[in-house]
């Protein structure tokens, strides 16, 4: 209600807004949202066929009849972009760079899928043939069932991965650097039959690999991209990461539980490594440090080598001696070499 009241009072004749209206991407989103609300917020694949399959005449008539509603959604995007740009400019002026997080997949009920159904593995009713997720692992015995439609990379390749180039270009307009989630999915992705309730049944299928990012670099040049390379990685995935040349990630908690590659990295950080003091699925680092000290370290002889990290001994000693972890993490949580970015002390201490 407040946004609609603001829209009624908004000066639509200002130059910046008129220029904004020419951006086709924002118009497509506004049209999508206007149809969604006019349909009672149904998913786009539940809309009448004229809307569902983007019949040109149907959309033209709707665009005339619902011009004001479409304009409202363009206004919402305009204000959001204006406020975000002001925030980012303020941060940059104070030597702070903002890292965005870009998911590998988009939602099924999204303007991306509605506008470009041929880029996804859908049937004639625009229902997914396969959906995304990951198989069972130490986080979840049923696997992770995400439900996003998977890409038809053969179609993407035909036009030089134009959709991906545009997507990343847009992301880099609003962020200083971008972390791409589930990066290993570009080498091979897990496809689950549509209709399944969990991720126990599925198959790994080949993705585009490094050639996608070679094309992005060819069209956009070198960009500040971070690859989320966590989890169990195959040789093919590590080869792809090396070929792309993007910095990966280190999660300090994983090193405490015996991930040997992270122990090596934290003790001897190398170029192109981004160190992080935690991820959303993990408890606060101070709790984990105390857990290592009180549980893992005293009983280290009961753990197999792959589950016990030598770094745990260091941490146990540091906890006993009230070591200043904020200073330690500030030194370890940096992007080395070419990316000019470091976590601020305020951000570090808030997670310790």
């Amino acid at each position: 209600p407040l946004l609609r009241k603001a829209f009624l009072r908004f000066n639509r004749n200002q130059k910046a807004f008129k220029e904004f209206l020419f951006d086709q991407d924002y118009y497509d989103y506004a049209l999508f949202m206007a149809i969604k609300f006019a349909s009672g917020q149904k998913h786009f694949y539940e809309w009448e066929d004229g809307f569902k399959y983007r019949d040109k005449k149907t959309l033209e008539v709707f665009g005339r009849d619902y011009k004001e509603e479409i304009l409202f959604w363009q206004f919402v995007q305009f204000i959001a972009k204006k406020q975000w740009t002001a925030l980012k400019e303020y941060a940059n002026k104070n030597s702070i760079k903002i890292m965005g997080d870009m998911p590998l997949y988009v939602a099924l009920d999204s303007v991306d899928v509605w506008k470009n159904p041929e880029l996804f593995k859908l049937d004639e009713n625009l229902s997914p043939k396969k959906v995304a997720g990951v198989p069972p692992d130490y986080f979840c015995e049923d696997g992770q069932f995400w439900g996003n439609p998977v890409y038809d990379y053969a179609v993407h390749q035909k036009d030089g991965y134009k959709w991906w180039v545009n997507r990343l270009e847009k992301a880099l307009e609003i962020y200083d650097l971008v972390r791409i989630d589930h990066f290993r999915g570009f080498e091979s992705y897990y496809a689950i039959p549509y209709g399944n309730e969990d991720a126990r049944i599925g198959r790994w299928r080949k993705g585009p690999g490094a050639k996608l990012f070679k094309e992005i670099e060819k069209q956009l040049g070198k960009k500040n991209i971070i690859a989320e390379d966590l989890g169990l990685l195959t040789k093919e995935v590590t080869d792809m990461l090396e070929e792309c040349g993007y910095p990966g990630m280190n999660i300090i908690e994983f090193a405490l539980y015996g991930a040997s590659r992270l122990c090596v990295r934290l003790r001897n950080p190398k170029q192109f490594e981004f160190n992080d003091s935690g991820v959303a699925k993990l408890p606060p680092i101070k709790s984990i440090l105390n857990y290592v000290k009180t549980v893992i370290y005293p009983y280290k002889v009961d753990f197999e080598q792959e589950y016990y990290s030598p770094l745990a001994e260091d941490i146990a000693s540091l906890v006993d001696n009230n070591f200043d972890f904020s200073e330690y993490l500030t030194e370890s949580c940096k992007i080395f070499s070419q990316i000019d970015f470091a976590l601020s002390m305020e951000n570090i201490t808030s997670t310790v």
Side-chain angles (χ1 to χ4, degrees):
L2 288 177
L3 285 173
R4 293 193 179 272
K5 183 179 289 187
F7 176 58
L8 292 175
R9 299 175 178 177
F10 178 66
N11 178 14
R12 308 178 188 187
N13 294 317
Q14 56 181 281
K15 182 181 177 181
F17 183 62
K18 286 186 173 181
E19 292 175 351
F20 181 83
L21 295 180
F22 285 104
D23 193 317
Q24 185 63 39
D25 289 336
Y26 290 108
Y27 177 81
D28 288 333
Y29 172 79
L31 176 62
F32 178 86
M33 293 301 293
I35 298 173
K36 175 174 281 292
F37 273 75
S39 70
Q41 299 196 49
K42 291 181 180 178
H43 302 303
F44 86 83
Y45 43 86
E46 298 173 329
W47 294 348
E48 295 178 7
D49 285 355
F51 297 111
K52 176 179 177 179
Y53 295 104
R54 293 178 60 86
D55 175 72
K56 185 177 180 180
K57 183 65 175 178
T58 301
L59 296 184
E60 285 178 354
V61 172
F62 183 88
R64 290 195 301 267
D65 294 345
Y66 286 81
K67 182 179 179 180
E68 192 74 1
E69 181 68 6
I70 294 171
L71 199 63
F72 164 72
W73 287 107
Q74 289 175 295
F75 157 76
V76 171
Q77 291 295 291
F78 173 75
I79 295 300
K81 184 177 181 181
K82 181 180 179 180
Q83 292 181 350
W84 175 259
T85 300
L87 175 63
K88 183 177 180 297
E89 289 176 353
Y90 176 80
N92 291 165
K93 285 179 182 178
N94 286 275
S95 302
I96 297 172
K97 293 187 176 182
I98 297 177
M99 180 172 68
D101 191 16
M102 190 175 82
L104 171 58
Y105 295 108
V106 298
L108 172 59
D109 186 30
S110 66
V111 66
D112 295 277
V113 179
W114 177 60
K115 185 181 175 183
N116 309 284
E118 72 282 358
L119 298 180
F120 303 85
K121 293 192 174 182
L122 310 176
D123 62 21
E124 63 277 4
N125 294 315
L126 302 187
S127 294
K129 296 177 181 178
K130 305 287 183 181
V131 294
V134 290
D137 58 14
Y138 41 74
F139 277 119
C140 181
E141 62 181 13
D142 289 329
Q144 297 179 40
F145 182 86
W146 300 336
N148 313 76
V150 298
Y151 300 107
D152 190 335
Y153 284 115
V155 176
H156 284 261
Q157 186 177 7
K158 289 179 181 178
D159 67 357
Y161 300 101
K162 182 180 178 181
W163 183 86
W164 276 104
V165 172
N166 291 340
R167 186 185 184 199
L168 195 56
E169 186 176 31
K170 284 286 186 181
L172 288 164
E173 286 178 4
I174 59 176
Y175 304 119
D176 296 299
L177 59 165
V178 173
R179 187 198 84 138
I180 302 179
D181 191 37
H182 195 58
F183 197 82
R184 67 101 58 239
F186 292 105
E187 191 284 319
S188 56
Y189 61 91
Y190 193 64
I192 305 165
Y194 182 61
N196 284 21
E197 295 182 355
D198 58 42
R200 288 180 176 272
I201 298 175
R203 290 182 61 186
W204 288 102
R205 299 184 180 276
K206 278 293 181 182
K211 62 185 177 184
L212 165 60
F213 296 96
K214 296 296 182 184
E215 186 62 35
I216 289 174
E217 184 176 327
K218 177 182 175 182
Q219 297 189 41
L220 301 181
K222 280 279 188 182
K223 295 297 179 181
N224 290 340
I225 297 173
I226 297 168
E228 184 270 284
D229 60 342
L230 307 177
L232 299 175
L233 306 181
T234 63
K235 182 181 184 301
E236 290 79 6
V237 175
T238 56
D239 288 346
M240 177 190 68
L241 286 164
E242 185 173 346
E243 187 175 353
C244 290
Y246 299 143
M249 295 185 66
N250 296 332
I251 302 299
I252 191 170
E253 289 95 327
F254 288 177
L256 305 182
Y257 288 103
S260 58
R261 77 178 181 117
L262 295 180
C263 283
V264 173
R265 285 179 172 183
L266 286 169
R267 288 170 177 266
N268 303 289
K270 61 181 181 179
Q271 286 186 336
F272 307 121
E273 294 296 349
F274 175 69
N275 297 317
D276 196 348
S277 62
V279 294
K281 295 177 183 176
L282 297 174
I285 190 168
K286 196 161 189 177
S287 299
I288 291 184
L289 297 177
N290 284 322
Y291 178 77
V292 171
K293 171 180 174 285
T294 59
V295 179
I296 294 183
Y297 178 57
Y299 299 100
K300 65 176 188 251
V301 293
D302 295 332
F303 284 75
E304 295 181 13
Q305 184 62 35
E306 64 177 308
Y307 293 113
Y308 180 73
S309 164
L311 189 59
E313 296 183 35
D314 299 344
I315 296 299
S317 174
L318 295 174
V319 171
D320 281 336
N321 290 286
N322 296 315
F323 184 76
D324 183 358
F325 282 103
S326 62
E327 179 181 350
Y328 174 77
L329 291 173
T330 301
E331 288 302 311
S332 67
C333 294
K334 292 178 180 177
I335 298 177
F336 295 89
S337 189
Q338 297 181 353
I339 296 182
D340 178 24
F341 177 80
L343 297 180
S344 69
M345 176 65 77
E346 180 179 356
N347 288 338
I348 294 297
T349 54
S350 69
T351 61
V352 174

